[in-house]
Amino acid sequence: MSEKVIVKREVLLDQCTKIFVAAGMRQDEAAVVADNLVAADQTGMDSHGVMRVPAYTKRLRDGGTLPHSEIEVVRETPTTAVIDGHNGMGQVVSKFAMEKCIKKAKKCGVAFVAVRGSNHFGMASYFTRMALEHNMIGMCSTSPAAHLLAPTGGVEPILDNNPFSFAIPAGKEYPVVLDMATSVVSRGKLASAAKRGDKIPTTWAMTIDGEPTDDPKLGFDGILLPVGGYKGYGLTVISGVMAAMLSNAALMSRDICDFYVDTDKEQNIGHLFGCIDIQVFCDVDDFKHRMDEMIDEIHNCRKAPGVDRILLPGERSGRTADKNAVEGIPLNETVFKDLNDVAVSYGLQPIQQG
Amino acid sequence: MSEKVIVKREVLLDQCTKIFVAAGMRQDEAAVVADNLVAADQTGMDSHGVMRVPAYTKRLRDGGTLPHSEIEVVRETPTTAVIDGHNGMGQVVSKFAMEKCIKKAKKCGVAFVAVRGSNHFGMASYFTRMALEHNMIGMCSTSPAAHLLAPTGGVEPILDNNPFSFAIPAGKEYPVVLDMATSVVSRGKLASAAKRGDKIPTTWAMTIDGEPTDDPKLGFDGILLPVGGYKGYGLTVISGVMAAMLSNAALMSRDICDFYVDTDKEQNIGHLFGCIDIQVFCDVDDFKHRMDEMIDEIHNCRKAPGVDRILLPGERSGRTADKNAVEGIPLNETVFKDLNDVAVSYGLQPIQQG
């Protein structure tokens, strides 16, 4: 485990925004991407945080992702839309799409917005959480457009681990937020482990030849294992189809350019965003009260020996985000150094430690 | 492994319908329940098939489930509805709800229908498959209202394994249909294993005291294990909330009466049904063509040693259903005998073997 560097949220946000502006983005759009990455680090999901800045800026430099694009609404009905991001940054088109989805659900009760021509959008729950303040259930699915998983019975990474997220409001408790990839762990976790120099459990990935491995680098270049075997395989097919098939984004290996390798090629990533307005189904206060009751009952479940507290999905993230808002965001030393190197490469001042 | 008895689909359907009519149901509603159970056996999902007839009829006899109820639409908008089944059979209200959902999606593009006051509805994919012929994606979630799973860190079965299903049309290939519970296996599989006298892997369940077990009876009376650990726990919370929270059905253990034990008490089971009309997003033929391409690519994935064919979710069910439509439906001998015992108890003729 390497050392942690603590950086104030505002400092990190400002630095990332400056970097993306230096990389050619508009100030307002750079701020959107920065906010998304910093939010991931703030919630403890470091695999989707500012450690992505070097790869994002490399893609911007090499032309694989455009620093700005005109977002196009290709099709639209009162409850649905198909949006083409025309290869702009994933966070920018995704925020636009989720805002549109929320507006539609406010009018019509439920809505789905499908996106193509996007790029890596960071942490999926960043977008589903947008629904919470509107007393909606937020849903999303993405196909990260990489070669990651094999189907059950196969030994070739032709599928993605297609993350999906649900965010559900509660009352006084933390909202329930699931944000999961269909692999046992995300590829980002392998990258984090490799950066830290840690070994990985052999349940996380196979080598490209289908052999077990505890080397994160071999796993990263190999085949991730699906969560729960054939059930995780099933989930990844469904999540991928939802994310990419309705919008006609890239899904299968033949279409796909690698995020890290093909940095000069368009990825055409797809997402699906959905919203359900709770008030259309029931009284919102009553819903939240019943959510709190459920959460309370789970907290009070009989605990296994050595367990202090039982957590709901999203509770740890919520607590971590609150803590880090006050205390600052801990970054891995290597991530901190890489971020500063990128800043310096654009002629910006590095963040001073401490 | 006990012997199999082959019964023609029509014979089984007719017999089950007669049994439910004898148990007090209307002819048309009895036929709906029979069709749902027989479809499960036909697709090879025997845990949700006619093996449930003894428990269903016991609940009807003991008053826990009503043979007929007036289905009430409690709230309705063009895209949504909340339906109260008023404790009628789960299949009857669920078919009504999914038909309503399909109609709404046909008009509005997308729709969600939430149900409360329902009962066990059989195989979830029975309902999502209804969307396929309308060129829609079908979605559903249910909370079987039992004490099955513990949250991660807990050793008390306060959660359900809340199954969910997605059905997505393809072209010339079988539709992609996921139908999964959030436990490693469904409780029905433990019941099947117990009926067959088989042992179970220790990854399937714990005893009620949190100890490992290979005894399906102890697992059935104990705590099922979630698929993929904390990810399965997260999935079950989300699926349960989707199924029960919007409609205000029973979800947590305090509300719940056991399907098998409390046969004279209302369960108040909840479901959520959703439909997405594909044509609102893209050309349907093109969508199906792209689905076929994806399926083809998965079929052609490099296979692990000893693997003949890589299957998509729902492909085995589809093939099995087609085969059994011609050859007849194989029933476990014990299930066949139990079904005949129930028939005789209502003064009906048993099915003749062979």
Side-chain angles (χ1 to χ4, degrees), chain A residues 75 77 79-82 108 110 112 114 137 139 151-156 158-159 164 166 168 176 178 180-181 183-184 208 227-228 231 233-235 237-238 241-242 244-246 248 251-254 276 278-283 286-287 290-291 293-294 297-298 301-304 307 310-313, chain B residues 75 77 79-82 108 110 112 114 137 139 151-156 158-159 164 166 168 176 178 180-181 183-184 208 227-228 231 233-235 237-238 241-242 244-246 248 251-254 276 278-283 286-287 290-291 293-294 297-298 301-304 307 310-313:
Chain A
R75 276 193 186 213
T77 77
T79 58
T80 65
V82 177
C108 300
V110 299
F112 280 101
I137 295 173
M139 304 177 280
T152 299
V155 285
E156 189 185 1
I158 60 169
L159 299 169
F164 57 90
F166 287 82
I168 306 174
V176 172
L178 184 72
M180 63 175 269
S183 47
V184 177
I208 194 69
V227 65
K231 290 198 179 190
Y233 160 49
L235 281 174
V237 171
I238 298 298
V241 168
M242 298 301 277
M245 226 24 117
L246 289 168
N248 197 6
L251 179 59
M252 293 301 294
S253 56
R254 81 173 119 244
I276 297 178
I278 291 163
Q279 65 170 347
V280 174
F281 290 86
C282 59
D283 180 79
D286 182 54
F287 180 93
R290 287 186 283 114
M291 284 295 290
E293 281 185 332
M294 178 194 82
E297 188 163 357
I298 290 176
C301 178
R302 186 154 66 91
K303 292 167 191 64
V307 173
I310 293 175
L311 298 170
L312 273 287
Chain B
R75 278 193 183 210
T77 76
T79 58
T80 66
V82 178
C108 301
V110 299
F112 281 101
I137 295 173
M139 304 178 279
T152 299
V155 286
E156 190 185 0
I158 60 169
L159 299 169
F164 57 90
F166 287 81
I168 305 173
V176 172
L178 182 72
M180 65 173 267
S183 46
V184 177
I208 193 69
V227 65
K231 290 200 178 188
Y233 158 51
L235 280 173
V237 170
I238 299 298
V241 168
M242 298 301 276
M245 225 26 115
L246 289 169
N248 196 5
L251 179 58
M252 294 300 295
S253 56
R254 78 173 124 246
I276 297 176
I278 291 163
Q279 66 170 345
V280 174
F281 290 86
C282 59
D283 180 80
D286 182 54
F287 180 94
R290 287 184 284 116
M291 284 295 292
E293 281 185 332
M294 177 195 80
E297 189 165 355
I298 291 176
C301 179
R302 187 154 65 92
K303 292 168 190 62
V307 172
I310 292 175
L311 298 170
L312 272 288

Side-chain angles (χ1 to χ4, degrees), chain A residues 29-108:
Chain A
E29 298 186 343
V32 168
V33 180
D35 191 65
N36 168 280
L37 295 180
V38 172
D41 284 306
Q42 190 182 346
T43 61
M45 204 170 175
D46 64 336
S47 60
H48 289 66
V50 300
M51 73 170 279
R52 300 277 181 157
V53 170
Y56 277 18
T57 50
K58 180 157 174 41
R59 290 191 63 82
L60 288 167
R61 237 184 352 252
D62 295 352
T65 305
L66 300 178
H68 176 74
S69 69
E70 294 303 318
I71 295 171
E72 184 190 358
V73 180
V74 181
R75 276 193 186 213
E76 190 162 21
T77 77
T79 58
T80 65
V82 177
I83 290 174
D84 193 328
H86 289 302
N87 202 28
M89 292 291 277
Q91 286 84 351
V92 175
V93 62
S94 295
K95 193 178 175 205
F96 176 89
M98 190 60 176
E99 279 169 354
K100 189 177 266 294
C101 193
I102 289 168
K103 260 187 216 156
K104 287 177 180 294
K106 212 160 253 183
K107 278 198 187 154
C108 300

